[in-house]
Amino acid sequence: WLLVGSPYPLGHEILPYQWNGLDVVCLHRQPIDVLVVDPDGDVPMRAEWHVAEEVCRPRRVLLHNVNLPNHAAGWIYQSLL
């Protein structure tokens, strides 16, 4: 499976948790083998990462752009260490 897109609407950082498409897919396909994370530099991805980590339970995580400062991939990398 290859999924591209955002499971949350814009401005979700200020909203409480909402049932979303990522939950539905991962609920039926967990644990997933590989999760590729290639976030836009302006997207913090805190809500998405929480769902991916807790519901999808990836066996491996591939992160893109971990070397960029103030980038979502950097803090995800640090949380995985």
Side-chain angles (χ1 to χ4, degrees), residues 5-67:
S6 176
Y8 283 94
L10 291 176
H12 69 272
E13 297 86 12
I14 59 172
L15 299 173
Y17 175 78
Q18 298 175 359
W19 186 252
N20 58 74
L22 187 58
D23 275 315
V24 174
V25 170
C26 288
L27 194 61
H28 296 288
R29 299 290 179 194
Q30 67 166 319
I32 60 174
D33 292 325
V34 176
L35 174 65
V36 178
V37 180
D38 185 12
D40 184 9
D42 298 335
V43 179
M45 287 197 59
R46 297 208 183 272
E48 292 88 350
W49 179 250
H50 176 72
V51 173
E53 189 173 40
E54 297 296 321
V55 181
C56 300
R57 297 186 352 226
R59 293 183 178 121
R60 294 173 186 85
V61 177
L62 300 176
L63 294 171
H64 190 256
N65 296 325
V66 296
N67 60 327

